[in-house]
Amino acid sequence: MDLKDMQREKPLQGKVAVVAGATRGAGRGIAVMLGAAGATVYCTGRSVRGQASDIGRSETIDDTAEMVTARGGKGIAVRTDHTSEEQVQALFARVEEQQEGRLDILVNDIWGGENLTHWNTPFWEQPLADGLLMQERAVKAHLITSYYGVPLMVKRREGLVIEITDGSTYNYRGNLYYSLAKISPIHLAAAMAEELRPYNVTALAVTPGFLRSEQMLDYFGVAESNWRDAIQKEPHYAESETPYFVGQAVAALAADPQVAAKAGKSLTSWDLSDEYGFADIDGRKPHWGNYARRQGLPVN
């Protein structure tokens, strides 16, 4: 089902989702595509208008919620620091009250490690505080979020939990702290799947490919309208994908009545594109797996 079909048929009409980490990048793309499929989407994160997070970006969850609504869903912005138990507990108490106990989809996309990764430096020479803070944001926050969100699904004996990460394997990703932060959600999904199976709740992990996020566009000094100009600086950018590509992957999984068969698996945006037949919003079908193999690159 492609984007137009999703917006026309709205297979997630009446469904309630929480996208934790919906401010920008993959989280925003996922929230918007869930909205395009008709879902009510709680868009959470730390950045709101007038109060940016510590990485100083301009995107906010308020913007994301408006984009969700513009696509045909219902976007609700709730400022939440997912490392805070009190704030996460309050978030799901609000969802439970407002949606009469319903939570169908929980997406864990909290990251916040943009300024904490020190590439090409051995772990013992990096600031330990940065490495530990990365784990707090990208692992501990996911645990806290699932701890308070999953019981709503268990109570109704249905639901889908998706861990968003970088890569689909347990292979080293070029930096110890980064590897730990990105591999942990894969095992979180696998372990949650085992414990949730008796309650008809599915957990799995999904990764995008080379993500053409807002921050990456800025890094290369381009916009979405002229992103191909960045290929001169980074040839692999030719196979990049917008955040809405992985967003469609998540929406397709959420609309799949047989999604439980994928419990515990680590899936990729490009393979899900092949399976469900969707394309990126620019009409392309990027396939990082095939591209990396042709280039002799590791497929994490």
Side-chain angles (χ1 to χ4, degrees), residues 114-133:
E114 292 91 341
N115 298 332
L116 303 174
T117 310
H118 302 270
W119 299 105
N120 304 313
T121 305
F123 74 88
W124 61 91
E125 294 181 3
Q126 297 178 42
L128 180 60
D130 285 356
L132 294 179
L133 181 56

Side-chain angles (χ1 to χ4, degrees), residues 237-258:
Y237 209 50
E239 201 67 17
S240 63
E241 63 191 61
T242 76
Y244 304 102
F245 193 59
V246 71
Q248 289 182 84
V250 169
L253 287 166
D256 186 351
Q258 305 301 321

Side-chain angles (χ1 to χ4, degrees), residues 9-183:
E9 298 181 15
K10 296 198 180 304
L12 300 181
Q13 189 77 48
K15 301 290 187 180
V16 177
V18 169
V19 179
T23 311
R24 64 185 68 84
R28 170 173 284 185
I30 291 165
V32 171
M33 291 299 97
L34 289 172
T40 293
V41 186
Y42 286 80
C43 306
T44 73
R46 295 176 297 153
S47 296
V48 294
R49 289 172 187 153
Q51 189 172 0
S53 71
D54 59 354
I55 68 171
R57 296 284 308 176
S58 62
E59 302 87 8
T60 69
I61 56 171
D62 306 293
D63 301 328
T64 302
E66 290 179 357
M67 294 166 72
V68 169
T69 301
R71 288 282 186 156
K74 181 179 180 182
I76 302 171
V78 182
R79 188 180 190 279
T80 309
D81 181 342
H82 284 265
T83 66
S84 165
E85 279 195 58
E86 292 77 12
Q87 291 186 38
V88 175
Q89 187 174 21
L91 164 68
F92 287 108
R94 175 175 171 176
V95 173
E96 184 173 26
E97 179 182 0
Q98 292 180 340
Q99 304 301 327
E100 299 180 344
R102 183 172 198 128
L103 177 62
D104 300 283
I105 306 149
L106 171 59
V107 180
N108 272 320
D109 185 49
I110 308 110
W111 168 225
E114 292 91 341
N115 298 332
L116 303 174
T117 310
H118 302 270
W119 299 105
N120 304 313
T121 305
F123 74 88
W124 61 91
E125 294 181 3
Q126 297 178 42
L128 180 60
D130 285 356
L132 294 179
L133 181 56
M134 188 187 297
Q135 309 316 307
E136 181 174 357
R137 290 178 174 177
V139 183
K140 179 182 175 181
H142 288 224
L143 282 166
I144 293 172
T145 303
S146 291
Y147 182 86
Y148 286 105
V150 163
L152 276 66
M153 297 177 168
V154 169
K155 190 179 298 184
R156 297 180 63 246
R157 303 186 79 84
E158 62 178 330
L160 174 63
V161 183
I162 298 182
E163 290 284 333
I164 303 299
T165 185
D166 177 13
S168 61
T169 73
Y170 287 88
N171 295 340
Y172 173 65
R173 286 154 171 68
N175 178 286
L176 184 149
Y177 297 112
Y178 185 88
S179 287
L180 184 58
K182 294 302 185 179
I183 290 171

Side-chain angles (χ1 to χ4, degrees), residues 220-287:
F220 286 120
V222 295
E224 181 59 31
S225 59
N226 69 326
W227 68 269
R228 290 180 181 275
D229 292 348
I231 297 172
Q232 299 174 22
K233 301 178 184 178
E234 172 52 77
H236 301 319
Y237 209 50
E239 201 67 17
S240 63
E241 63 191 61
T242 76
Y244 304 102
F245 193 59
V246 71
Q248 289 182 84
V250 169
L253 287 166
D256 186 351
Q258 305 301 321
V259 70
K262 294 179 170 62
K265 293 183 177 180
S266 183
L267 308 170
T268 67
S269 60
W270 56 90
D271 285 334
L272 291 168
S273 170
D274 287 344
E275 178 178 355
Y276 291 111
F278 60 83
D280 209 338
I281 57 171
D282 59 5
R284 297 168 58 251
K285 293 195 70 172
H287 196 295

